Amino acid sequence: MRASAPSLVPLGWLGWGCLACLFLPGACCAGERGTTDFAAAVVSVAEDLHGRKLIYSSRPDDLRDCSGIFHRTLRRLRKRCRGINGPEELRVRSSRDIAAWYAKHGDLVVVRDALDQDHLIQPGTVMFYGHRHQRYSRISRKKALREVEHVGIVTSVERDDAGNVLSYQLFHGRSGRKPAAITDYHTREPSRAQYPPLGNGAQPWIAVAELCSRACVCKN
């Protein structure tokens, strides 16, 4: 039986945000993610940036590392959608700082069991990953914030008939002179035994936030 969501999930995800889904055209909320307008906006923005082949750069002003690509995506989404949840200040620059921003605003959920918490993975989910080849047992929020090493945004999710996430696609900046891209190797059963389930290669999934935590209304 699927466990209930952890206590760190903000009440807004299950409160007035869900009511907004009933009354606002194109609105979305937790448990009702994947509405056409919001999901389509996420895919459209990610595909456009993917096509620009933004080669990784560690220079802060280039906005081509993982946190820079996150900010580029937010900028684009804010032009299309009302209600996007995320830092506007570019001084919130590293993946660790972005996670801390969501934690400060009560919108960060620590992932202690990826398979049990896979219901949190939806289009628009902000995924935070820890250090490569690390295993985090009963990780605290304080430690999770220290361990964040990478960030990306989910664009699509594949589930089985029981609702379990089989795989998802992630838009993110990638190091090693690679371009920012939508990648599809994030699976329930990783290709290598030493890789964690639903992680980013060898990086385990350790925390999550939402771009649309209450209600988002997007233009076509």
Side-chain angles (χ1 to χ4, degrees):
M1 182 174 70
R2 189 183 299 282
S4 60
S7 60
L8 288 174
V9 175
L11 294 177
W13 285 18
L14 300 176
W16 68 267
C18 288
L19 293 177
C21 293
L22 299 177
F23 299 107
L24 293 177
C28 59
C29 66
E32 299 285 345
R33 191 76 55 223
T35 58
T36 302
D37 287 348
F38 177 66
V42 171
V43 170
S44 176
V45 168
E47 287 182 344
D48 181 66
L49 291 172
H50 173 105
R52 293 177 180 270
K53 300 187 183 301
L54 300 167
I55 301 296
Y56 181 90
S57 168
S58 60
R59 291 180 55 184
D61 293 343
D62 288 346
L63 292 182
R64 293 190 179 203
D65 56 358
C66 65
S67 55
I69 294 299
F70 169 85
H71 278 295
R72 283 178 183 264
T73 305
L74 252 65
R75 280 178 173 178
R76 295 287 191 89
L77 283 172
R78 283 197 169 104
K79 292 179 180 179
R80 296 185 56 170
C81 303
R82 185 173 69 249
I84 295 297
N85 182 39
E88 296 187 23
E89 308 88 349
L90 285 179
R91 65 176 177 271
V92 182
R93 189 60 183 79
S94 70
S95 56
R96 195 170 299 169
D97 287 344
I98 293 168
W101 185 93
Y102 280 110
K104 179 180 178 180
H105 290 79
D107 293 325
L108 187 80
V109 178
V110 174
V111 174
R112 298 183 173 91
D113 186 325
L115 296 182
D116 192 52
Q117 293 176 260
D118 67 344
H119 55 287
L120 298 173
I121 304 175
Q122 306 284 350
T125 294
V126 184
M127 304 286 281
F128 296 99
Y129 303 93
H131 294 277
R132 291 168 56 86
H133 301 297
Q134 294 295 313
R135 292 291 185 267
Y136 300 100
S137 177
R138 299 180 181 178
I139 188 171
S140 66
R141 185 172 71 164
K142 185 176 180 179
K143 183 174 181 179
L145 289 172
R146 290 199 308 266
E147 294 294 304
V148 168
E149 188 177 54
H150 188 63
V151 62
I153 296 173
V154 175
T155 59
S156 65
V157 183
E158 179 187 2
R159 299 178 183 275
D160 63 18
D161 292 340
N164 300 307
V165 173
L166 298 177
S167 66
Y168 61 90
Q169 292 189 330
L170 186 78
F171 180 58
H172 54 137
R174 304 180 298 160
S175 61
R177 298 299 298 167
K178 297 176 182 177
I182 299 171
T183 55
D184 60 3
Y185 46 75
H186 317 279
T187 60
R188 192 176 194 87
E189 298 181 3
S191 59
R192 300 184 185 182
Q194 67 270 33
Y195 283 5
L198 302 175
N200 179 52
Q203 294 175 315
W205 173 38
I206 61 172
V208 60
E210 293 287 342
L211 289 181
C212 179
S213 62
R214 293 177 176 84
C216 297
V217 180
C218 303
K219 302 174 184 177
N220 292 327

